[in-house]
Amino acid sequence: MKKFTLLSLAVFALMSLTSCEAIGTIFKAGMWWAFFLIAAVIGLILWLFTRGKN
């Protein structure tokens, strides 16, 4: 059921957005995921360094 909902949402988004808007939305989402992952990796590295000093 969840897979069907995701598929129907994707089809609706593709039909409602023009190709340029769809690509722009994908790149914006990718950019925010990249920021999140970079912050998570930096936080993990800092946590490991502070944990190792104790």
Side-chain angles (χ1 to χ4, degrees):
M1 186 68 177
K2 185 177 182 182
K3 193 174 189 179
F4 176 72
T5 306
L6 183 61
L7 179 62
S8 63
L9 181 63
V11 170
F12 176 73
L14 288 174
M15 295 183 102
S16 65
L17 297 174
T18 64
S19 61
C20 291
E21 289 174 348
I23 297 299
T25 303
I26 291 169
F27 279 120
K28 283 180 187 175
M31 179 183 68
W32 287 112
W33 269 107
F35 287 152
F36 174 74
L37 291 176
I38 290 170
V41 168
I42 290 173
L44 179 66
I45 290 171
L46 290 173
W47 178 71
L48 287 174
F49 279 135
T50 58
R51 185 175 158 240
K53 290 183 180 180
N54 289 335

